[in-house]
Amino acid sequence: MTRESKSDGEGSKSGLSIGQMSELTGVSRRMLRHWEEEGLIYPIRGLSNYRQYMRDDVARLERIVTYREMGFNARQIKALLDCKTPLALDELQGQRSRIDEKIQHLRKAADRLGRLIAFAEGRSGNDSAPTKIDQEDQYFSEAYERWGASRQWLEYAERKASRSEQEQKKDMTRLKDVESELAQAKRKGLAPTSDKVLELVDEHRQALSWFHVTPSMHVILGRMYVADPRFRRHYEQLEPGLAKWMLVAIETAARANGIDPATVKWE
């Protein structure tokens, strides 16, 4: 939408050309044309069809830039430019609320990103005095030294950064419950190759929720449960011989999935 003028030629004395307007306001020619298409500004058209911007256009453009920097879209800006203060206040207050919500969202995102970076770099974030947490930090550091360069470590960091403390406790409870059921199954004399045990073993694999564990990776972890004294002690406390019994079950489950335990790799 444009206005007509009897003047002719780009940059006439009665107004500014689009180039002059762009230089004066810092708004690109492309954006000036776009805002004209959106009906925000109405430059005069001379006889040669050149755009000419008057003083009122400069003042209006300054208002457009102000509202655009506040995050308003073209439709909202057009309404604000043409309405009285009481009506404009409603829209301004609404935009302030929307911006506040975005700020809160971005702060949460920044916090999560900071946690993700810390975990990905091998920093657990525990700065408290010496407590039981120190042991967890030691395990965290050892895990980072062993798997810090792997794809699974980043997956672990992503999950740890996105899960609340309550959710992480729920994950641990789920794993402990499955381990308890496995211990009970062995205590009852169930064979590690039985269907019931194979179902529990698959639940155990899925309960290892720090990263996606494939059947092949589960075999490798099962061997670690037997070879690493700390893991073996953990399972022995639940039920004597549980670590080796679980490894048989895990390898049986792998074969059921068409995987040869002798050739498994960390995927």
Side-chain angles (χ1 to χ4, degrees):
M1 186 173 187
T2 56
R3 296 169 292 175
E4 295 182 355
S5 172
K6 296 181 180 179
S7 60
D8 192 14
E10 186 170 2
S12 71
K13 295 181 181 180
S14 59
L16 300 174
S17 68
I18 188 171
Q20 291 169 331
M21 186 67 156
S22 175
E23 185 176 354
L24 176 66
T25 61
V27 178
S28 68
R29 298 187 185 198
R30 182 190 64 79
M31 189 58 69
L32 288 171
R33 295 189 185 97
H34 173 68
W35 285 345
E36 181 181 339
E37 292 173 358
E38 293 289 339
L40 296 180
I41 49 178
Y42 314 106
I44 291 172
R45 290 284 188 170
L47 296 179
S48 298
N49 206 34
Y50 287 118
R51 294 175 177 83
Q52 296 180 37
Y53 297 86
M54 314 307 290
R55 289 183 179 179
D56 290 346
D57 295 318
V58 176
R60 187 176 177 88
L61 186 60
E62 289 175 349
R63 296 181 66 198
I64 293 171
V65 171
T66 296
Y67 285 129
R68 184 169 181 266
E69 290 175 347
M70 293 179 183
F72 288 100
N73 59 37
R75 179 190 59 77
Q76 293 170 320
I77 293 174
K78 186 175 182 181
L80 285 166
L81 293 176
D82 299 330
C83 72
K84 296 181 180 179
T85 299
L87 294 175
L89 278 173
D90 290 339
E91 189 65 39
L92 295 175
Q93 290 168 350
Q95 182 70 352
R96 174 59 187 268
S97 296
R98 290 188 288 271
I99 289 175
D100 286 341
E101 289 177 3
K102 288 182 180 179
I103 290 172
Q104 292 178 9
H105 176 76
L106 289 172
R107 282 175 177 165
K108 289 180 180 179
D111 289 342
R112 284 183 58 184
L113 183 57
R115 292 180 63 204
L116 171 57
I117 292 171
F119 292 134
E121 290 179 342
R123 294 182 283 115
S124 66
N126 288 326
D127 299 322
S128 57
T131 62
K132 183 179 178 181
I133 295 178
D134 290 347
Q135 187 177 26
E136 297 177 6
D137 287 346
Q138 180 182 351
Y139 292 156
F140 182 90
S141 297
E142 290 179 10
Y144 178 71
E145 290 178 6
R146 185 168 185 174
W147 292 300
S150 69
R151 174 180 57 80
Q152 285 77 23
W153 184 265
L154 181 58
E155 188 178 347
Y156 159 75
E158 292 166 353
R159 185 169 181 82
K160 192 169 179 62
S162 63
R163 303 282 282 177
S164 67
E165 184 176 347
Q166 183 177 4
E167 289 172 326
Q168 292 183 55
K169 287 181 179 179
K170 186 176 180 180
D171 291 339
M172 288 302 300
T173 298
R174 179 191 177 197
L175 178 60
K176 288 179 179 179
D177 288 345
V178 175
E179 290 177 339
S180 178
E181 289 187 60
L182 284 164
Q184 291 177 22
K186 183 181 183 304
R187 197 174 300 123
K188 291 178 180 178
L190 293 182
T193 56
S194 65
D195 290 342
K196 175 60 178 177
V197 173
L198 294 182
E199 289 178 7
L200 288 174
V201 160
D202 191 58
E203 288 183 31
H204 178 269
R205 179 179 64 83
Q206 295 180 51
L208 298 171
S209 56
W210 297 278
F211 49 83
H212 177 63
V213 177
T214 66
S216 293
M217 294 161 68
H218 202 199
V219 171
I220 295 172
L221 291 174
R223 291 170 180 167
M224 184 180 67
Y225 299 156
V226 174
D228 190 307
R230 289 172 300 185
F231 282 103
R232 187 171 63 250
R233 187 182 311 114
H234 166 72
Y235 286 108
E236 289 295 314
Q237 289 174 347
L238 294 174
E239 174 67 20
L242 182 59
K244 291 183 179 180
W245 182 86
M246 281 181 58
L247 178 57
V248 174
I250 291 171
E251 289 182 340
T252 302
R255 292 189 187 94
N257 282 282
I259 298 168
D260 183 358
T263 60
V264 294
K265 296 181 180 180
W266 189 262
E267 299 169 330

